[in-house]
Structure formats: structure tokens, C-alpha cells
Amino acid sequence: MIKSMGIYQVSERPLRIAILHTATRVFIVVAIAIAVHFLIGWVELRAAVLAPRSQGLVLGGVLLIVVLVYAILIAIPFVPGIEIGVSLMMIRGAEIAPVVYLATVVGLVAAFLAGRFVSYDWLHRVLLDLRLKRACGFLETIKNLNRQQRLEMLHAALPAWLRPVAINFRYMTLAALINLPGNSFIGGGGGICMMAGLSRLFTPWGVILTIVLAVAPVPILVLWFGTGVLGPK
């Protein structure tokens, strides 16, 4: 069925085909996560019989895998990535804080860049498969707007009391949303940064600096109280 939606002329797939495509995407993500989980377990078992120095190298490689997986997870919208990082630091302590910090920055920056440079047409197709028609309509609305027009649209959509903060201090607002407890309900850190990219209202370097500063406090506190590296011993 051909369906006209604003600037798009799209052929809406049958529901079962859309579900199959969506399930395939989910399956791929889950399959990768399970494969990495078993790979880590297998490597740890083999490393147990090695010399101490070799164990360190092997386990360091395992840690690198964990970091990469975490960076991918935190970049995915609606995944509670920040909570995952905090849990890792609670379990492993200060030794993993710098690694979690780096992975968090990488994951959130990747989410922003994905939103910044993704094709609106491709994303429209994905959202249509998910039957997220309001989101499709939003893409249709903003696709051909310039930066000033998008700011005016945001200004009109927000409550009067929120407009000065959300528009004039949008980088600070982004930092606050990234650190908001339970933000997975509004897209998680990855979803928030991806939407910031989609809006085309943020510069890449401005967002990178915002992310670097916004996610730093918790790792710094873990280092401070965990090892005394940053504080008195």
C-alpha cells in the first residue's frame, strides 16, 4: 500500500514483514551480546592456567571487550547505559572507573554522531517498521527546516518557563538530561544524544565537550573515595 506522508511517498510494509525486520534487528543485538558473554567466560577459563604475566594480558583483552560492549550498549536508545556503568564501578571499584568513563564518553559521542549524520530517509523507514508514525511525522516536519526554523519550532513547542533554559542553555540542558536518574524512560543517554544529533541544533565539538564534562563526576568520586588517587591518602 502506497501511503503519502508529507514529503515522503512510502510503501508501508505488511505488519508481519515489519515485525520480522524489527525482530531481526533485535536478534542481531542480542546474539552479539550473548556471543561476547560466552567469549569472555571462555577466555577467563583458559587464562586461569597461564602464567601471571600472561593472565594480565589476556584479562586486559577481556576488559577491552567489556568496554567495547558497554560503549555499544550505552549508545543504544532506551538502554540504561549510565546505570550499567555505575553498576560496574560498584562491583569492580576504582580500578575500572577510568575505563567506564572512557567507554561512556565514546558511546554517547557515537550516539550523537549517529543522529547527526544518519539519513532521515533511512531512519524514517526504520520508524515506519516500528509503527512509530508520530516520530515519522516529526522527521517529515524537520527534514527541510534550517537551523533557525528548528529553533523557532522548538520555541513554540516548549512551555514558556522552559524556553530560555532549553534554548539558550541547551548544552547545559543536555548535560542535565544525561545525568538524570532513570533517563532510560526518555531514551537513555544514547537516545538523548541521538536526538540531539537529529535536531541539528548542536555542534559536534560542543557536544563532545559537554559529554566529557557531564559524565566525569561519578568516576572522579569513585577514584577519590576508592583509591585516594585524587585526594588525601
Side-chain angles (χ1 to χ4, degrees), residues 101-112:
Y101 172 72
L102 177 62
T104 303
V105 171
V106 170
L108 294 180
V109 169
F112 169 78

Side-chain angles (χ1 to χ4, degrees), residues 120-131:
Y120 279 152
D121 294 330
W122 177 86
L123 184 59
H124 185 273
R125 168 56 66 188
V126 173
L127 293 174
L128 193 61
D129 282 347
L130 294 171
R131 294 302 192 263

Side-chain angles (χ1 to χ4, degrees), residues 1-231:
M1 179 177 68
I2 304 298
K3 188 169 185 178
S4 176
M5 298 183 69
I7 60 173
Y8 290 93
Q9 297 290 331
V10 297
S11 176
E12 188 175 283
R13 294 168 174 152
L15 180 59
R16 60 183 180 182
I17 300 300
I19 291 174
L20 178 61
H21 284 208
T22 301
T24 300
R25 296 183 187 108
V26 174
F27 174 79
I28 291 173
V29 172
V30 173
I32 291 173
I34 292 175
V36 171
H37 168 73
F38 282 107
L39 175 63
I40 291 173
W42 183 82
V43 170
E44 287 179 332
L45 286 174
R46 298 303 183 275
V49 300
L50 299 176
R53 184 174 181 179
S54 298
Q55 283 186 23
L57 292 174
V58 173
L59 294 177
V62 172
L63 184 60
L64 177 61
I65 293 173
V66 172
V67 168
L68 292 175
V69 171
Y70 171 60
I72 293 170
L73 287 174
I74 201 172
I76 299 174
F78 294 99
V79 172
I82 300 296
E83 289 84 347
I84 293 172
V86 172
S87 299
L88 283 172
M89 288 187 286
M90 289 177 64
I91 294 169
R92 301 290 301 181
E95 64 181 89
I96 203 171
V99 177
V100 169
Y101 172 72
L102 177 62
T104 303
V105 171
V106 170
L108 294 180
V109 169
F112 169 78
L113 294 177
R116 173 86 177 183
F117 298 109
V118 71
S119 163
Y120 279 152
D121 294 330
W122 177 86
L123 184 59
H124 185 273
R125 168 56 66 188
V126 173
L127 293 174
L128 193 61
D129 282 347
L130 294 171
R131 294 302 192 263
L132 299 176
K133 295 180 182 179
R134 291 184 64 183
C136 290
F138 172 74
L139 288 181
E140 293 174 28
T141 301
I142 69 171
K143 181 177 180 181
N144 292 324
L145 299 181
N146 59 35
R147 185 172 182 275
Q148 183 57 41
Q149 290 171 327
R150 293 181 187 198
L151 282 172
E152 291 172 358
M153 177 181 169
L154 178 62
H155 184 275
L158 291 173
W161 63 270
L162 189 56
R163 290 170 187 166
V165 175
I167 295 177
N168 299 327
F169 302 96
R170 54 186 177 274
Y171 290 94
M172 293 179 62
T173 302
L174 177 62
L177 290 174
I178 289 173
N179 285 302
L180 183 68
N183 65 12
S184 57
F185 291 103
I186 57 173
I192 291 166
C193 289
M194 186 173 290
M195 286 302 299
L198 282 170
S199 73
R200 307 296 199 263
L201 296 177
F202 298 81
T203 65
W205 286 113
V207 170
I208 291 172
L209 179 60
T210 299
I211 291 171
V212 166
L213 296 176
V215 302
V218 173
I220 288 175
L221 288 174
V222 171
L223 281 172
W224 186 292
F225 292 108
T227 64
V229 170
L230 300 177

